[in-house]
Amino acid sequence: QEAVFDKKISGLEEGLITGIIDGDTIKLADGRTVRLIGLDTPELNPPDGPIEYYGLQAKRYTKEKLLGEKVYLEYDKQKMDEYHRSLAYIYLADKTLFNAQLLKQGYGYLLTIAPNIKYEKLLQKQVQIARNKDRGIWEERRNL
């Protein structure tokens, strides 16, 4: 089940995804790096150790869903982070909010950082769905 919302995407900025850095960071054809707002996926290159649990799965899911796709970017109050990445909500052509979908399928954790909290409640709900259904990163956590 996709996280599709009745969102007008016609006025949003378009972008073509040409690269996937990890589960929550992508590259656009214009060269920009975009960090998805409201979530954090397990790290692939943590400074102090091995790949985090479910990091490869999160990247694979993002790649399957986004690579080569035309998407629509919605910004919140803060458009860039300290690493010069654009911060955005990503919509697919079918109006799926990918940020929410990633959480709903259990590939990430909620991470809302003010002032970018526009969809905090909505994203929180998606994490709850994933946890209740033991999806992804929540699958084995319940047994710990």
Side-chain angles (χ1 to χ4, degrees):
Q1 179 142 10
E2 304 293 316
V4 178
F5 303 97
D6 191 22
K7 174 76 182 168
K8 266 186 97 123
I9 57 176
S10 55
L12 299 179
E13 180 184 325
E14 286 183 23
L16 176 66
I17 298 184
T18 56
I20 307 298
I21 294 169
D22 61 21
D24 57 33
T25 311
I26 58 171
K27 277 270 194 212
L28 296 178
D30 65 10
R32 283 185 297 156
T33 300
V34 179
R35 175 70 164 74
L36 303 181
I37 297 175
L39 62 104
D40 190 34
T41 59
E43 297 300 322
L44 291 177
N45 299 303
D48 55 354
I51 293 173
E52 291 179 359
Y53 175 69
Y54 237 73
L56 291 172
Q57 292 91 329
K59 180 179 181 177
R60 191 177 316 124
Y61 181 79
T62 298
K63 188 176 182 178
E64 284 172 11
K65 296 290 183 183
L66 296 185
L67 192 59
E69 294 294 321
K70 181 167 85 169
V71 297
Y72 301 86
L73 289 76
E74 179 181 9
Y75 300 102
D76 209 329
K77 289 185 169 60
Q78 183 185 349
K79 288 186 174 182
M80 298 277 275
D81 68 8
E82 67 270 24
Y83 305 108
H84 306 290
R85 299 178 297 190
S86 295
L87 300 171
Y89 301 102
I90 301 285
Y91 291 89
L92 303 178
D94 68 1
K95 298 185 181 181
T96 297
L97 173 54
F98 186 72
N99 308 50
Q101 186 65 21
L102 203 56
L103 290 172
K104 186 176 182 180
Q105 297 305 323
Y107 290 104
Y109 303 96
L110 183 71
L111 178 67
T112 50
I113 301 172
N116 290 348
I117 57 173
K118 185 182 210 171
Y119 296 124
E120 184 173 27
K121 296 267 185 277
L122 172 95
L123 295 174
Q124 231 166 15
K125 220 178 274 179
Q126 307 312 306
V127 170
Q128 203 52 56
I129 292 169
R131 290 184 76 151
N132 291 344
K133 296 186 184 267
D134 296 329
R135 288 185 180 151
I137 56 177
W138 307 108
E139 184 181 14
E140 292 181 16
R141 301 283 187 220
R142 187 175 291 253
N143 300 324
L144 296 179

